[in-house]
Amino acid sequence: MANTKSPFADAVIIAASNNTHGARSIKNISKATPHHMAGNMTADAAAKLFTNASRGASATNCIGSDGRMVQGCYYETAPGTSSNRANDLVSCTYEVANISGAPNWFVSDKAIEKLIANLIWECMTFGFRLNYTGTTLGTMTRHNMFIATSCPGPYLQSKFLEITKTVNDALDGKGMPKTVETLFDKYKVKKPALKVAAPKPVTPAPAPTKWKKISLAAVAKEIWTGKCSYVDSSGKKPWTYWGNGDTRITRLKKAGYSDSDIKKINTVEIPKLSGAKVTTTPAKATVHTVKKGETLSGIAAKYGTTTAKLIALNYIKNANLITVGQKIKLK
């Protein structure tokens, strides 16, 4: 019979055989049962107690408050720990030291970290997962599930769900607490493989919308109606309208147009393109009355002049703010 030893064991002090349930197959190991010592003994002292043939008990491992672990039974031997032979035949049992007494029976962080590290190794080695249901049906069981006892103590018992999750997260490749990982490094124990998340598919950015150059007449229409469909090389619309004066000249040039070419377009055709009602204006008109929907740039184009000239003639402060019925001097 092989004598399987935990790589986390700092020493081995084997319990008297009549304190155990005898030989078992490690293929049947499928549970873990942590107990508390109800005292702050060292791992060595606790393990030595079980060498006394009259003790009537044993544990797979004993863990002291300093994190030292002494193995008391090889895994091929069923320990006598839980007051339940059926549980002990398939369980890895522990006696864990307390750093305080009743009523809480606190346990040190180092002891819990060692417990977690060894539980991870046991689950990996014997092929089971922890499942704490609060009943004997789970794979994480307690002494007080089988007899009336305070063991494993309120504090350690309160940690069972957290311990279960930490162990299973490590088994699932989600990593482990740094303090536990340090123990794996210290004892040179192979860690559970980390699952590397698959890279998220990269959705290529849509290609920038390429602007199709429109006709001079269409640009003139946009100027008349206060719109602008131009899209730059990045696919963005830098302006909402073509603007007036030097601003419009600059924008037209950037889009590949000439302001002078726009002005050459028949002034009657511009309002036609916009869908506005066309009114033939005598060539000698010197004043224009603003109608609904008209813009200063549209009026300038209609009479073959520039917005700048109309602004100067009429002392207009805001070219984008003219009102219906307003008289605009043309000369």
Side-chain angles (χ1 to χ4, degrees):
M1 181 176 70
N3 293 326
T4 302
K5 176 189 171 187
S6 167
F8 289 105
D10 296 289
V12 177
I13 300 175
I14 297 301
S17 60
N18 59 328
N19 289 336
T20 73
H21 291 296
R24 66 177 176 184
S25 171
I26 59 174
K27 292 180 180 178
N28 295 329
I29 295 176
S30 57
K31 294 192 177 190
T33 314
H35 298 242
H36 78 144
M37 293 182 188
N40 196 12
M41 285 186 288
T42 65
D44 298 78
K48 285 176 182 177
L49 285 177
F50 301 134
T51 62
N52 183 340
S54 63
R55 183 70 182 181
S58 58
T60 309
N61 295 293
C62 300
I63 302 177
S65 296
D66 58 358
R68 179 176 169 83
M69 187 176 87
V70 175
Q71 189 164 332
C73 295
Y74 292 116
Y75 286 93
E76 289 79 6
T77 299
T81 321
S82 308
S83 305
N84 184 280
R85 185 174 186 274
N87 183 77
D88 288 343
L89 284 174
V90 296
S91 186
C92 305
T93 66
Y94 293 84
E95 288 288 350
V96 184
N98 302 102
I99 55 174
S100 74
N104 295 310
W105 298 105
F106 289 115
V107 174
S108 72
D109 289 344
K110 285 186 177 181
I112 288 179
E113 288 157 7
K114 191 63 166 285
L115 172 63
I116 290 171
N118 204 63
L119 284 170
I120 293 170
W121 173 82
E122 288 171 341
C123 287
M124 291 172 63
T125 303
F126 304 119
F128 69 99
R129 290 174 63 84
L130 294 187
N131 176 27
Y132 180 59
T133 63
T135 71
T136 58
L137 298 177
T139 61
M140 183 80 156
T141 55
R142 306 187 317 262
H143 195 183
N144 57 11
M145 290 178 176
F146 306 108
I147 65 168
T149 175
S150 63
C151 182
Y155 180 75
L156 184 56
Q157 181 171 324
S158 73
K159 291 287 185 180
F160 271 39
L161 276 175
E162 180 184 335
I163 291 169
T164 298
K165 182 179 186 306
T166 302
V167 170
N168 288 338
D169 280 351
L171 297 175
D172 291 337
K174 297 178 181 178
M176 60 185 83
K178 188 64 179 176
T179 50
V180 176
E181 187 175 356
T182 299
L183 290 173
F184 273 79
D185 293 335
K186 176 183 176 181
Y187 290 89
K188 298 180 180 179
V189 181
K190 185 179 179 180
K191 303 170 191 174
L194 286 173
K195 286 186 179 179
V196 180
K200 293 182 180 179
V202 178
T203 304
T209 304
K210 191 174 181 180
W211 190 59
K212 293 181 181 180
K213 197 171 181 180
I214 58 178
S215 67
L216 287 171
V219 174
K221 174 185 175 181
E222 289 187 348
I223 293 171
W224 177 269
T225 56
K227 298 177 181 178
C228 179
S229 62
Y230 174 71
V231 177
D232 64 20
S233 59
S234 68
K236 297 179 180 179
K237 292 185 69 173
W239 323 302
T240 55
Y241 60 94
W242 287 101
N244 296 305
D246 292 339
T247 298
R248 184 170 71 197
I249 292 171
T250 301
R251 291 177 178 178
L252 286 169
K253 185 177 180 180
K254 185 172 182 179
Y257 300 100
S258 165
D259 186 57
S260 59
D261 289 340
I262 297 294
K263 289 176 181 176
K264 290 176 184 177
I265 296 175
N266 188 305
T267 56
V268 175
E269 289 302 313
I270 297 173
K272 280 184 180 179
L273 286 167
S274 70
K277 184 178 179 181
V278 178
T279 302
T280 303
T281 305
K284 295 182 180 180
T286 57
V287 176
H288 175 82
T289 303
V290 177
K291 299 177 181 60
K292 185 177 180 180
E294 288 186 318
T295 63
L296 194 62
S297 59
I299 295 169
K302 185 174 183 179
Y303 291 99
T305 185
T306 66
T307 305
K309 288 181 180 179
L310 294 183
I311 290 172
L313 278 171
N314 295 275
Y315 304 100
I316 295 172
K317 293 182 179 179
N318 186 344
N320 295 314
L321 186 61
I322 56 175
T323 58
V324 175
Q326 183 177 345
K327 304 293 184 180
I328 303 296
K329 293 180 181 180
L330 305 174
K331 294 182 181 180

